[in-house]
């Protein structure tokens, strides 16, 4: 299969290398129906990938790759709960977290096959009861005061998913039941910032950690425990803490009550855990109904991904467009511009979803891929990005494919502002594609009466080469359903790309080495401690750090 895959990648490169293989605008001239023929929809959601250099031949070659690697089979194995994460011997069954109880999704765990959707639904009932009790004031802190704030502690997938969703569903709204502070970094300044002005008596601390062994999270949880105990006494701690984890013994050892502990299974990867009890933060902050609607939206994308023919399948198409950019055109980066300020942390979440999943160089067979994999993802909300790095996207030496994300209807009453936002999104995509030629610029300057010498000096700097590709993802409104659907769209895109690249999208061995080395260096930073063996740069930096420290 590797040969068939390599041949399919070679074919993509050949197509891109044709004289016109990177030109976009001529494709529109040649095909008046291009905008609809290179787009796909699911209800109100449209994915327009027509502003790319993919033509019919390239599209066929991309689907030939999908066929060569057995994408259809992979999709079926994923939904059958097969061990699609072989290096960790796990299924990837996060879809069960958003499916109804009777969906019948099963997953392999420790050689056993279990009813994943039923297990997830049972835990959801407990979560719902907990959220209701907190919101009603039936479950309070040690003083009997209602909880008004959540301090959500976690890092990576135990932070970014809940963070992006909570912001998307609460920013600018006055009808949200609780306020949330997120605490991820082990940096003590982050703790100070997260607890600044918080009343411990009214704060519920959620510790989200799949493994319950993560240094940053446990360090912050210890600090939060001390903060609660100092203000309210040690006996208050169990009332103010809840945990979301697969490691129930470690949670119990920390002193969190079973009634405040919500579990999930190893078939949920950390970066897919916002749909699990880790999403309790979202439900507390935005309300249960919105959390449930988010799950429903994701489940609608799951069913579409599972059931729709590959050629009409949004995650598959989004993935293949990305493959074209990486493996045919050689793009090393990918930019996500959400024209919605409430999605300001979406790129951070997608960085983990995409780069922790597919930032790999080893195939499932244990050999080097021999082809490029995941591009570097970055992004900012539009229009802010237009006033910072978008200059490079228009005129830089490298091609940076962009995803523009936009809802047609806002949740505010300034239609003029929303039209301005949308106009900018559409204009950016159009400008990137069509660019502006030197001839057109010279003609414009001449028409304005500029002297030829001034035209010669300035015109080359104003040229925008165009042919810069983008997708546009457009939908009705950023409600909870649409949010869930959008995030699930990217999750499945990543799974498809992992299949096409022949890698394990669900492990993350690359983050281990740094963790291990940090564990070794930590004791060396204590006053008077001996220094271990390091390269001379690291040893010198440790020595310099210790010399600069005001610590005895
Ligand atoms: O950084 C690696 C990682 O394992 C992520 O995959 C995960 O989301 C994060 O750390 C946090 O892990 P945990 O939820 O176990 O604390």
């Amino acid at each position: 299969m590797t040969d068939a895959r390599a041949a399919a990648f070679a074919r993509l490169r050949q197509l891109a290398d044709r004289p016109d293989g990177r030109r976009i605008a001529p494709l529109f001239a040649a095909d008046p129906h291009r905008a609809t023929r290179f787009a796909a929809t699911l209800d109100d959601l449209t994915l327009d990938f027509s502003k790319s250099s993919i033509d019919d031949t390239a599209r066929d070659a991309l689907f030939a790759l999908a066929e060569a690697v057995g994408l259809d089979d992979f999709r079926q194995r994923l939904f059958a709960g097969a061990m699609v994460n072989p290096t960790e011997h796990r299924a990837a069954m996060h879809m069960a977290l958003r499916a109804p109880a009777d969906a019948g999704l099963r997953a392999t765990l420790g050689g056993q096959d279990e009813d994943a959707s039923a297990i997830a639904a049972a835990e959801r009932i407990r979560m719902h009861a907990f959220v209701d009790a907190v919101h009603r004031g039936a479950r309070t802190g040690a003083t009997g005061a209602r909880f008004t704030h959540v301090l959500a502690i976690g890092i990576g997938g135990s932070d970014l998913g809940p963070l992006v969703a909570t912001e998307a569903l609460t920013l600018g709204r006055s009808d949200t039941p609780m306020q949330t502070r997120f605490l991820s970094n082990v940096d003590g300044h982050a703790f100070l910032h997260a607890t600044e002005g918080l009343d411990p008596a009214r704060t519920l601390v959620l510790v989200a950690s799949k493994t319950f062994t993560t240094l940053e999270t446990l360090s912050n949880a210890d600090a939060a425990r001390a903060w609660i105990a100092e203000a309210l006494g040690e006996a208050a701690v169990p009332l103010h803490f809840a945990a979301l984890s697969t490691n129930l013994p470690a949670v119990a050892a920390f002193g969190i009550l079973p009634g405040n502990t919500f579990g999930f299974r190893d078939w949920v990867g950390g970066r897919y855990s916002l749909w699990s009890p880790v999403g309790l933060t979202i439900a507390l902050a935005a309300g249960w109904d919105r959390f449930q609607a988010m799950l429903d939206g994701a489940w609608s994308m799951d069913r579409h991904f599972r059931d729709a023919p590959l050629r009409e399948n949004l995650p598959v198409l989004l993935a293949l467009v990305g493959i074209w950019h990486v493996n045919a055109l050689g793009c090393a980066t990918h930019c996500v511009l959400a024209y919605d300020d409430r999605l300001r942390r979406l790129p951070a979440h997608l960085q983990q979803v995409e780069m922790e999943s597919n930032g790999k160089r080893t195939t499932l067979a244990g050999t080097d891929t021999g082809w490029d994999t995941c591009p570097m993802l970055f992004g900012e909300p539009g229009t802010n990005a237009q006033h910072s790095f978008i200059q490079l996207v228009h005129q830089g030496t490298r091609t940076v494919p962009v995803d523009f994300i936009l809802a047609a209807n806002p949740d505010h009453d300034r239609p003029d502002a929303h039209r301005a936002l949308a106009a900018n999104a559409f204009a950016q995509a159009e400008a990137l594609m069509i660019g502006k030629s030197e001839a057109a610029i010279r003609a414009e300057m001449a028409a304005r009466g500029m002297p030829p010498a001034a035209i010669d000096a300035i015109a080359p700097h104003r040229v925008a080469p165009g042919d810069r590709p983008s997708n546009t993802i457009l939908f009705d409104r950023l409600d909870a359903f649409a949010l869930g659907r959008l995030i699930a769209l990217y999750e499945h895109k990543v799974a498809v790309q992992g299949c096409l690249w022949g890698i394990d999208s669900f492990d993350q061995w690359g983050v281990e080495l740094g963790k291990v080395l940090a564990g070794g260096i930590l004791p060396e930073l204590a006053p008077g401690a001996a220094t271990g063996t390091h390269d001379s740069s690291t040893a010198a930096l440790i020595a310099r750090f210790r010399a600069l420290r005001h610590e005895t």
Side-chain angles (χ1 to χ4, degrees):
M1 182 199 290
T2 302
D3 284 352
R5 191 190 318 260
F9 282 134
R11 168 84 178 127
L12 294 178
R13 278 192 301 276
Q14 251 175 19
L15 291 175
D17 288 344
R18 288 173 306 176
D20 237 21
R22 289 156 196 256
R23 304 287 310 281
I24 305 174
L27 298 175
F28 282 91
D31 177 3
H33 303 295
R34 180 169 174 80
T36 46
R37 292 208 315 111
F38 289 82
T41 57
L42 171 60
D43 303 324
D44 59 296
L45 175 69
T46 295
L47 165 65
D48 175 350
F49 59 99
S50 61
K51 291 191 184 77
S52 70
S53 54
I54 298 172
D55 59 8
D56 285 303
T57 314
R59 177 159 50 184
D60 287 346
L62 287 163
F63 279 104
L65 166 69
E67 195 169 328
V69 305
L71 176 61
D72 205 16
D73 179 56
F74 168 79
R75 185 171 61 156
Q76 286 173 31
R77 292 193 331 107
L78 179 73
F79 279 93
M83 207 176 61
V84 291
N85 176 3
T87 74
E88 294 184 318
H89 306 288
R90 289 176 187 162
M93 196 21 101
H94 40 280
M95 299 80 74
L97 300 165
R98 44 230 195 180
D102 60 358
L105 294 180
R106 304 187 70 81
T108 305
L109 186 69
Q112 298 283 322
D113 177 58
E114 60 184 20
D115 188 339
S117 29
I119 289 168
E123 204 62 350
R124 241 178 2 248
I125 291 171
R126 293 186 60 232
M127 288 167 67
H128 192 173
F130 182 87
V131 169
D132 265 359
V134 171
H135 286 167
R136 277 188 288 111
R139 193 183 269 267
T140 66
T143 65
R146 271 176 114 96
F147 288 122
T148 54
H149 284 76
V150 173
L151 176 61
I153 300 176
I155 196 162
S158 297
D159 169 62
L160 291 165
L163 172 59
V164 69
T166 300
E167 286 197 349
L169 301 180
T170 63
L171 282 181
R173 301 193 81 104
S174 53
D175 61 347
T176 52
M178 292 178 84
Q179 303 291 313
T180 314
R181 303 274 181 94
F182 286 89
L183 174 58
S184 53
N185 199 335
V186 73
D187 183 347
H189 301 106
F191 183 84
L192 288 180
H193 180 58
T195 53
E196 194 179 4
L198 271 194
D199 177 1
R202 295 180 175 278
T203 301
L204 176 62
V205 182
L206 297 188
V207 186
S209 177
K210 178 176 168 178
T211 56
F212 224 78
T213 58
T214 304
L215 166 90
E216 293 91 333
T217 299
L218 294 186
S219 165
N220 280 325
D222 282 340
R225 175 159 59 188
W227 177 72
I228 293 281
E230 193 185 322
L232 305 169
E234 194 62 44
V237 168
L239 292 173
H240 284 258
F241 270 74
L244 324 160
S245 184
T246 57
N247 187 353
L248 304 187
V251 170
F254 186 88
I256 297 177
L257 300 172
N260 290 6
T261 302
F262 300 91
F264 56 104
R265 295 287 220 258
D266 271 339
W267 35 257
V268 179
R271 47 199 176 271
Y272 305 94
S273 64
L274 76 157
W275 322 98
S276 78
V278 169
L280 194 69
T281 309
I282 308 165
L284 285 165
W288 184 265
D289 291 349
R290 288 200 185 105
F291 179 63
Q292 182 59 57
M294 192 184 91
L295 300 185
D296 294 343
W299 177 236
S300 85
M301 183 55 74
D302 292 337
R303 281 174 292 144
H304 167 79
F305 173 51
R306 184 189 63 188
D307 301 334
L310 294 185
R311 281 185 174 259
E312 294 156 28
N313 198 302
L314 271 71
V316 172
L317 290 165
L318 194 58
L320 289 174
V321 175
I323 295 286
W324 175 254
H325 292 142
V326 171
N327 301 105
L329 303 187
C331 301
T333 54
H334 181 68
C335 179
V336 175
L337 300 181
Y339 277 67
D340 195 312
D341 216 58
R342 297 166 296 177
L343 292 176
R344 60 193 178 181
R345 298 295 283 161
L346 181 67
H349 179 55
L350 295 182
Q351 275 173 340
Q352 191 195 9
V353 171
E354 299 220 357
M355 292 157 74
E356 194 168 78
S357 298
N358 286 339
K360 296 169 189 165
R361 54 187 305 115
T362 306
T363 66
L364 289 170
T367 54
D368 278 357
T369 53
W371 43 82
D372 282 328
T373 60
C374 190
M376 172 94 184
L377 188 148
F378 68 105
E380 273 292 313
T383 60
N384 293 7
Q386 293 172 208
H387 301 277
S388 58
F389 56 73
I390 205 81
Q391 159 65 35
L392 178 151
V393 183
H394 282 286
Q395 283 190 310
T397 51
R398 297 166 201 279
T399 299
V400 183
V402 181
D403 286 352
F404 290 93
I405 299 173
L406 177 71
N409 294 293
D411 288 297
H412 58 68
D413 57 4
R414 290 181 52 214
D416 50 341
H418 197 67
R419 281 195 295 269
L421 185 77
N424 273 280
F426 296 138
Q428 286 296 320
E430 193 170 39
L432 286 169
M433 178 179 73
I434 60 177
K436 197 154 186 179
S437 69
E438 188 162 341
I441 289 163
R442 284 180 175 280
E444 251 179 29
M445 292 171 98
R448 286 209 305 275
M450 286 181 75
I455 295 176
D456 286 347
I458 301 298
H461 297 279
R462 293 186 49 196
V463 172
D467 287 320
R468 307 271 154 132
S470 66
N471 296 313
T472 299
I473 296 170
L474 176 66
F475 49 93
D476 181 350
R477 182 182 290 280
L478 183 68
D479 55 16
F481 185 92
L483 176 72
R485 194 177 53 179
L486 179 69
I487 295 175
L489 167 65
Y490 276 94
E491 286 180 353
H492 291 314
K493 166 205 164 180
V494 165
V496 171
Q497 289 190 330
C499 167
L500 298 169
W501 284 320
I503 57 182
D504 185 333
S505 292
F506 300 103
D507 62 14
Q508 56 284 315
W509 297 105
V511 299
E512 291 305 317
L513 178 60
K515 279 191 199 173
V516 171
L517 294 192
I521 291 175
L522 181 61
E524 297 173 26
L525 301 184
T531 309
T533 309
H534 299 284
D535 63 89
S536 61
S537 164
T538 307
L541 288 167
I542 291 173
R544 186 83 188 117
F545 174 83
R546 286 179 51 170
L548 287 168
R549 291 275 291 160
H550 306 292
E551 193 181 34
T552 47

